[in-house]
């Protein structure tokens, strides 16, 4: 809409419409014809970590394939870090995200892999993230036997983190957890009423997507390797959407696909089939060390053949749907949460203004920092 205005009241959007019909407000800001859109909703990140894996990245760019084993390097650095160092790293990245227009995000544990370290990550995450996911099933840590480790993840570890998390995730991939191990983790989470997520079909074809669909996961993320049946299956999870039934969001992580030299997730095919797609950064030190949703959106348009509108929607409302934050909800302590991912009355006042006349500039001028101003929950972030 051209010539539009919106009114914020407290932390919510109170009114949206044509500027000439806008109600009076205490303070008004003229953004000078710039494009206004919802803040990004980054629905997949791993921000609780310490250390750097640029040497691994350089080796990969020189031809080494990515292997899940690199996670162990970050696990060692994370365990050795102080609480303060982990919190400072989380704050640094969350601030960077906000400057880039991201006003809501999920983050995962998964670089602790002991009860104490996973609990610490879950607690620290809750201080900044809109949604926290337990990823104890990221890798079997060195020195552990897989069966014993799964007993721990689905038992004591889950008991410890449960009050601090919204969802449980599993890395269902060769070199991490197979189908029956992943099923065990997801069923334990489902028994506790937690939302389910799956890292699936990232490094090759695999059972992750089918498992996510079967167990009605909120999202399956990566989805780089999908056959036509899996695409149809993901779309079919939304068949009952009109009746309020929620399906499984397919989350594309284009920066990760590029950084690991994997095929880009087939987001075009997914949308054409009727699936709900989210776009997220997967910010982590191993496979995708970026907080830039704008980069992911530009890649989705330029390389994955989404229209600008589709890519922006996937990076805002798509992420919100994946997190269950697209409608009014409550947090873990029962506090009411306003929906995110859309500019409409009643939504949380999360808005970004681009230094551009239209959102198409996100892909038309890729790589250019276009964020002019950001409001989160009605407060001007900068
Ligand atoms: O989403 N796939 C598993 N987890 C991360 C990678 C973590 C790492 O290599 O440190 C991901 O890509």
């Amino acid at each position: 809409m051209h010539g539009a205005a919106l009114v914020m009241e407290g932390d919510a959007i109170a009114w949206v419409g044509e500027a000439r019909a806008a109600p009076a407000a205490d303070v008004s800001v003229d953004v000078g014809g710039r494009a206004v859109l919802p803040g990004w909703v980054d629905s997949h990140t791993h921000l609780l970590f310490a250390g750097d894996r640029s040497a691994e990245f350089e080796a990969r760019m020189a031809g080494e394939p990515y292997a899940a084993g690199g996670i162990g390097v970050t696990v060692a650095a994370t365990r050795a870090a102080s609480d303060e160092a982990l919190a400072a790293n989380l704050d640094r990245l969350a601030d960077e995200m906000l400057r880039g227009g991201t006003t809501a995000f999920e983050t995962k544990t998964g670089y602790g892999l002991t009860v104490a370290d996973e609990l610490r990550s879950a607690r620290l995450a809750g201080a900044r993230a809109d949604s926290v996911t337990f990823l104890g099933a990221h890798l079997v840590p060195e020195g552990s036997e897989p069966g014993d480790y799964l007993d721990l993840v689905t038992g004591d570890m889950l008991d410890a983190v449960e009050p601090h998390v919204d969802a449980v995730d599993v890395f269902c991939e060769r070199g991490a957890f197979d189908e029956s191990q992943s099923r065990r983790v997801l069923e334990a989470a489902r028994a506790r009423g937690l939302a389910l997520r799956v890292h699936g079909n990232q490094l090759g074809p695999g059972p992750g997507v089918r498992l996510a669909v079967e167990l009605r996961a909120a999202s399956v993320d990566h989805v780089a390797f999908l056959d036509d049946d899996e695409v149809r299956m993901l779309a079919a999870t939304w068949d009952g959407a009109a009746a309020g039934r929620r399906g499984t969001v397919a989350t594309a992580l284009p920066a990760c696909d590029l950084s690991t030299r994997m095929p880009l997730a087939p987001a075009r095919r997914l949308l054409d089939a009727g699936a709900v797609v989210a776009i997220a950064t997967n910010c982590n030190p191993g496979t995708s060390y970026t907080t830039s949703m704008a980069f992911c959106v530009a890649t989705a348009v330029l390389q994955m053949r989404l229209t600008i509108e589709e890519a922006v929607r996937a990076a805002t409302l798509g992420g919100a749907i994946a997190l269950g934050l697209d409608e009014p909800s409550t947090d873990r302590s029962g506090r009411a949460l306003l929906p995110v991912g859309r500019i409409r009355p009643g939504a949380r006042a999360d808005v970004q203004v681009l230094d551009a006349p239209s959102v198409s500039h996100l892909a038309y001028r890729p790589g250019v920092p276009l964020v002019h101003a950001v409001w989160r929950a009605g407060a001007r972030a900068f």
Side-chain angles (χ1 to χ4, degrees), residues 268 271 279 297 300-301 304-313:
R268 179 72 272 150
L271 286 174
I279 291 172
V297 165
V301 174
M304 297 160 94
R305 299 184 179 276
L306 269 56
T307 65
I308 290 280
E309 287 73 19
E310 287 170 335
V312 167
R313 185 181 164 90

Side-chain angles (χ1 to χ4, degrees), residues 221-247:
D221 302 28
H222 285 288
V223 294
F225 293 86
L226 294 184
D227 63 29
D228 289 346
D229 277 351
E230 288 163 331
V231 168
R232 269 194 295 274
M233 228 179 251
L234 282 164
T237 64
W238 293 96
D239 282 351
R245 189 160 178 260
R246 297 182 75 93

